[in-house]
């Protein structure tokens, strides 16, 4: 039951990955590595699909050849193993060298595939069963098919060993986070498929040494299926992993955008001209129509503009008086100090603010060069402003100053 579920998942994931990359392939028809990658996904999906117990007997009946699905599966595995080599050499080697190395690998695996196909028709699975796993277990009891399966496993093992080697090599060369993660995942998947090859080899040896290896069956098909899933995931991670990074960035920007709103709104009400795009409604401000990064950037600029306008109305003496009256630190360049300046000026009537223009002697903190640091600072200012507005400046703002 578990094997059937894994097989269905592997078939679906492989074909889904092929469909996902197909539009790219249509746009980049001369990209050899992408052709090889799509071939890998397609063959991976087919290798599991045709051997599903629900389909394998119908496929065999269609071709009129019992257990033809075993050969289709094995041929697909050899092709996808070669395709992996092509992708890795094109990714990790100079173009001219990559073409030569890819051609050599295609010739080697192509020759091995031809021998495998001819041998399959010569020896064929000599046992027939309702399930693919039991068919193989029964067939390897016969010397000819055991030799055939040993050759097939050798092809797989050599290919996966080479995949591990090239993946590790490329991981050290990759300069993108998700590419490194993908290659490490491919390496783990290839290692698990090597476990499949070893356990299947032990089962074959057991038939010659009177050792019952059927107990290893759950290990070999689990290692093979999970290894295939990990490899598919590893090959696709570089393309969808960056979307996760962007989504996280958008989420952080939107969260900061919302955290700054109370401070921005107070400054906007005092000086509406700071807003490049005035909010038309509460909902429109809640879900900005533009990219969150841009909206956050505009909000930071507008807050700084609003602070600059207001602080010209506040003298250092006024600030010290307000801070002492609330028993707060007299540091105008702290997050709490900036929030206190805004709160103090906004408590005056607009006419009084206009009369006090250009009265400021308060030292201003230079803006951070790093935008993320500037956002974090203003977030602390906004938090302090909220606490002041709620009449609870003490414990929280003291923490912000530490």
């Amino acid at each position: 039951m578990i094997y059937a579920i894994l097989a269905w998942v592997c078939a679906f994931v492989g074909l889904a990955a092929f469909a996902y990359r197909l539009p790219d392939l249509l746009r980049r028809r001369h990209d050899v590595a992408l052709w090889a990658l799509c071939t890998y996904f397609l063959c991976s999906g087919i290798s599991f699909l045709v051997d599903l117990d629900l389909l394998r007997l119908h496929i065999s009946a269609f071709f009129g050849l019992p257990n033809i699905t075993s050969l289709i599966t094995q041929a697909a595995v050899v092709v996808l193993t070669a395709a992996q080599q092509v992708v890795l050499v094109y990714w990790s080697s100079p173009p001219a060298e990559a073409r030569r190395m890819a051609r050599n690998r295609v010739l080697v695996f192509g020759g091995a595939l031809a021998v495998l196909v001819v041998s399959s028709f010569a020896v064929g699975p000599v046992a027939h069963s309702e399930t693919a796993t039991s068919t193989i277990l029964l067939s390897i009891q016969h010397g000819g098919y055991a030799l055939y399966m040993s050759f097939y496993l050798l092809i797989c093992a050599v290919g996966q060993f080479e995949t591990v080697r090239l993946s590790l090599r490329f991981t050290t060369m990759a300069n993108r986070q998700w590419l490194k993660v993908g290659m490490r995942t491919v390496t783990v998947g290839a290692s698990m498929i090597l476990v499949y090859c070893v356990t299947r080899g032990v089962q074959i040896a057991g038939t010659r040494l009177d050792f019952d290896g059927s107990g290893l069956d759950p290990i070999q098909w689990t290692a093979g299926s999970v290894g295939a899933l990990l490899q598919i995931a590893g090959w696709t991670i570089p393309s969808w992993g960056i979307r996760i990074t962007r989504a996280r960035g958008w989420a952080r920007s939107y969260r900061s955008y919302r955290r700054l709103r109370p401070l921005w709104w107070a400054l906007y009400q005092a000086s509406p001209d700071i807003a490049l795009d005035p909010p038309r409604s509460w909902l429109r401000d809640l879900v900005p129509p533009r990219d969150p990064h841009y909206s956050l950037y505009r909000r930071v600029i507008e807050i700084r503009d609003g602070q600059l306008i207001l602080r010209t109305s506040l003298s250092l003496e006024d600030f010290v008086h307000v801070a002492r009256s609330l028993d707060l630190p007299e540091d105008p360049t702290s997050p709490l100090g900036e929030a206190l300046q805004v709160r103090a000026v906004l408590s005056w009537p607009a006419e009084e603010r206009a009369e006090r223009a250009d009265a400021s002697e308060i030292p201003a903190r230079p803006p951070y060069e790093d935008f993320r640091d500037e956002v974090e600072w203003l977030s602390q200012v906004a938090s302090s402003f909220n606490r002041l507005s709620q009449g609870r400046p003490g414990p929280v703002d003291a923490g912000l100053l530490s």
Side-chain angles (χ1 to χ4, degrees):
M1 180 63 180
I2 297 177
Y3 171 74
I5 294 173
L6 278 174
W8 275 102
V9 171
C10 290
F12 173 78
V13 170
L15 296 176
F18 171 74
Y20 175 73
R21 295 310 303 266
L22 187 59
D24 287 340
L25 182 62
L26 296 177
R27 289 191 297 267
R28 296 155 50 190
R29 298 182 181 181
H30 300 291
D31 189 333
V32 177
L34 184 57
W35 270 99
L37 188 59
C38 289
T39 300
Y40 168 82
F41 291 140
L42 181 61
C43 289
S44 183
I46 289 175
S47 68
F48 285 96
L49 184 67
V50 300
D51 235 8
L52 292 171
D53 294 335
L54 185 65
L55 301 177
R56 60 186 299 272
L57 296 179
H58 298 288
I59 295 174
S60 296
F62 176 79
F63 284 101
L65 296 170
N67 296 315
I68 187 63
T69 56
S70 296
L71 175 59
I72 296 174
T73 294
Q74 292 158 3
V77 169
V78 174
V79 172
L80 70 86
T81 303
Q84 285 186 120
Q85 312 302 306
V86 174
V87 175
L88 286 168
V89 297
Y90 265 90
W91 282 6
S92 60
S93 304
E97 184 180 350
R99 283 193 293 271
R100 177 183 58 79
M101 295 172 66
R103 182 174 58 251
N104 291 341
R105 282 166 168 76
V106 170
L107 289 174
V108 169
F109 281 96
L113 177 60
V115 173
L116 195 72
V117 172
V118 173
S119 301
S120 175
F121 282 105
V123 298
V126 293
H128 308 297
S129 177
E130 293 295 323
T131 65
T133 53
S134 58
T135 295
I136 298 298
L137 282 175
L138 292 172
S139 295
I140 60 176
Q141 304 293 326
H142 300 266
Y145 194 76
L147 184 62
Y148 165 85
M149 276 298 296
S150 298
F151 178 63
Y152 165 70
L153 292 173
L154 178 63
I155 298 172
C156 293
V158 170
Q160 295 305 323
F161 178 82
E162 187 69 0
T163 297
V164 170
R165 186 184 71 84
L166 291 174
S167 295
L168 290 174
R169 174 188 172 190
F170 185 62
T171 300
T172 62
M173 301 168 55
N175 56 4
R176 289 186 295 162
Q177 174 194 2
W178 288 110
L179 193 54
K180 287 179 177 290
V181 173
M183 288 300 96
R184 292 190 182 106
T185 306
V186 168
T187 302
V188 174
S191 300
M192 293 195 69
I193 294 176
L194 283 173
V195 172
Y196 158 81
C197 294
V198 170
T199 52
R200 183 64 94 184
V202 171
Q203 288 180 327
I204 294 174
T207 63
R208 307 295 99 187
L209 302 173
D210 296 326
F211 167 72
D212 184 9
S214 60
L216 297 174
D217 219 39
I219 297 176
Q220 63 88 11
W221 56 251
T222 299
S225 300
V226 175
L229 280 175
L230 288 174
Q231 286 197 325
I232 294 171
W235 289 118
T236 58
I237 281 175
S239 59
W240 55 259
I242 188 64
R243 300 179 187 273
I244 295 178
T245 300
R246 289 172 182 168
R248 289 176 177 171
W250 289 339
R252 284 194 298 267
S253 294
Y254 180 73
R255 185 168 58 251
S256 298
Y257 173 85
R258 295 297 303 163
R259 288 173 64 188
L260 295 178
R261 187 184 189 281
L263 177 62
W264 173 85
W265 180 249
L267 293 169
Y268 168 72
Q269 288 183 308
S271 306
D273 290 341
I274 64 173
L276 181 63
D277 297 312
R280 300 177 184 178
S281 65
W282 174 84
L283 181 61
R284 186 180 178 88
D285 185 56
L286 180 66
V287 184
R290 298 198 183 187
D291 177 75
H293 300 309
Y294 172 81
S295 299
L296 176 62
Y297 179 75
R298 282 302 316 168
R299 180 146 289 184
V300 169
I301 291 176
E302 290 166 8
I303 287 175
R304 279 307 185 197
D305 288 345
Q307 285 181 301
L308 183 62
I309 293 171
L310 289 185
R311 70 184 301 276
T312 60
S313 303
L314 187 70
S315 67
L316 182 59
E317 183 181 353
D318 292 330
F319 173 80
V320 171
H321 174 73
V322 172
R324 288 177 178 175
S325 68
L326 296 174
D327 195 24
L328 295 175
E330 300 171 16
D331 180 6
T333 61
S334 68
L336 176 58
E338 287 192 14
L340 190 58
Q341 293 176 53
V342 174
R343 188 64 188 166
V345 176
L346 290 179
S347 66
W348 300 338
E351 297 79 7
E352 186 175 352
R353 291 200 298 267
E355 292 174 0
R356 289 169 171 264
D358 300 325
S360 180
E361 304 167 350
I362 300 177
R365 177 191 62 80
Y368 286 101
E369 293 184 4
D370 189 294
F371 181 71
R372 289 172 296 183
D373 292 337
E374 185 74 16
V375 170
E376 180 59 30
W377 177 272
L378 288 179
S379 296
Q380 295 183 36
V381 175
S383 179
S384 297
F385 183 79
N386 285 341
R387 293 290 176 178
L388 288 168
S389 300
Q390 297 167 7
R392 297 185 287 113
V396 172
D397 294 300
L400 289 170
L401 291 169
S402 61

